[in-house]
Amino acid sequence: MGVDGHHLFMANDEMRKQFSFEAVSAVVEPPRAATFIADVTLNGVKKQGAEVSIVRTSKTGVTDANGKCTLTQLQDGQVVCKIVCDGCPDQRVNVTLSAGTTSRISVALVPLFTGEMMVGSESSLENHPVAEGA
């Protein structure tokens, strides 16, 4: 047999096809990347517009109308997911990603304030003296 197997496979087309680059690469695949899905709710309602990111990477996304954000092409290992939403404290969740799998978390955001928020003063301006020359 020659260095490239030429003599062994010279008269056998089927054998040659089994050892082609395409056939071997179909069997030997590099590990696939990990995928991460975050489901985010606020007061029991799916939250659109929350920012989801993997800390110390450029991977970031925003939840859709179903409160879901999917991040793909991630390296496997332990990561920290950060969820940011106006009116809520930032949340961080530790997640273990595995190559070729999808990891999923559910996050229930808690609002910073409950009830109605009032802007300004409820007292009338008549009760407040105005400085001279103002």
Side-chain angles (χ1 to χ4, degrees), residues 32-36 97-103:
R32 295 178 304 178
T35 300
F36 172 74
L97 301 176
S98 298
T101 64
T102 299
S103 299

Side-chain angles (χ1 to χ4, degrees), residues 129-134:
V130 178
E132 290 291 320

Side-chain angles (χ1 to χ4, degrees), residues 40 62 73 77 80 87 109 115 129:
V40 181
V62 178
Q73 299 300 314
V80 177
L109 298 174

